[in-house]
Amino acid sequence: MIGRIDHVGIAVRSIDEAKGIYEAMGLHVEAIEEVPYDGVRVALIPCGESRIELLEPMAEDSPVAKFLSKRGPGIHHICLRSDDLRADDARLREAGYQVIRPEPTRGADGCWVQFVHPKSAGGVLLELSEKDPEGGESG
Ligand code: ZN
């Protein structure tokens, strides 16, 4: 089942440059980690019950690098928290929605993630995320 909005993902060219506006508002980068599967560095900035996730490409051919060259910096995806990602993934597939990965993959902050294609979600890239109950390693 889907609960709250976990985070909003924002594509940036540089985490160091992009984080300034959030720090000026009194928010702080909690962690920066690399997600090799997606070719990105991720900065997590807690904001109440949600977070801002800054996404900086690590390689020119990564999806976020392509997004930046096509559209420039901006909102990349919205992430919804799931308490059972495999069940939500299966339900969406059954209902005919286009998910992007053959199965959930490892995202930032020890979570499992799946994405719903913008064509299936009103033009928005949706991420579904479940915190790994084992609290496993990220990356
Ligand atoms: Zn995300």
Side-chain angles (χ1 to χ4, degrees), residues 7 9 53 55 77 79 115 127:
H7 63 263
E53 181 184 80
L55 305 159
H77 65 269
C79 179
F115 289 86
E127 177 181 15

Side-chain angles (χ1 to χ4, degrees), residues 1-4 6-7 51 53 78-85 88 105 107-115 126-132:
M1 219 173 88
I2 299 299
R4 61 189 170 83
D6 185 80
H7 63 263
R51 290 176 295 183
E53 181 184 80
I78 293 176
C79 179
L80 305 176
R81 174 54 57 96
S82 166
D83 62 4
D84 187 343
L85 184 55
D88 287 323
T105 58
D109 197 27
C111 290
W112 291 98
V113 300
Q114 174 62 283
F115 289 86
L126 287 180
E127 177 181 15
L128 305 180
S129 161
E130 179 185 2
K131 189 88 178 164
D132 188 333

Side-chain angles (χ1 to χ4, degrees), residues 3 34 44 57 62 65 69 77 96 102-103 117-118:
E34 296 184 354
L44 297 167
S62 69
S69 63
H77 65 269
E103 58 182 24
H117 197 284

Side-chain angles (χ1 to χ4, degrees), residues 1-101:
M1 219 173 88
I2 299 299
R4 61 189 170 83
I5 292 178
D6 185 80
H7 63 263
V8 175
I10 299 175
V12 302
R13 295 204 169 89
S14 157
I15 286 172
D16 281 345
E17 287 170 22
K19 70 182 182 181
I21 180 67
Y22 302 101
E23 290 176 339
M25 291 187 285
L27 302 174
H28 299 284
V29 174
E30 178 185 62
I32 294 183
E33 53 182 287
E34 296 184 354
V35 182
Y37 188 97
D38 293 313
V40 288
R41 280 177 81 219
V42 172
L44 297 167
I45 303 174
C47 180
E49 289 195 342
S50 298
R51 290 176 295 183
I52 304 287
E53 181 184 80
L54 303 179
L55 305 159
E56 175 191 289
M58 291 164 55
E60 282 309 307
D61 60 349
S62 69
V64 170
K66 288 177 188 158
F67 179 96
L68 284 168
S69 63
K70 211 165 138 190
R71 304 203 209 177
I75 292 180
H76 180 265
H77 65 269
I78 293 176
C79 179
L80 305 176
R81 174 54 57 96
S82 166
D83 62 4
D84 187 343
L85 184 55
R86 291 195 179 272
D88 287 323
D89 183 32
R91 183 169 353 105
L92 288 169
R93 287 170 196 274
E94 261 176 53
Y97 294 100
Q98 186 187 344
V99 297
I100 290 181
R101 298 185 174 166

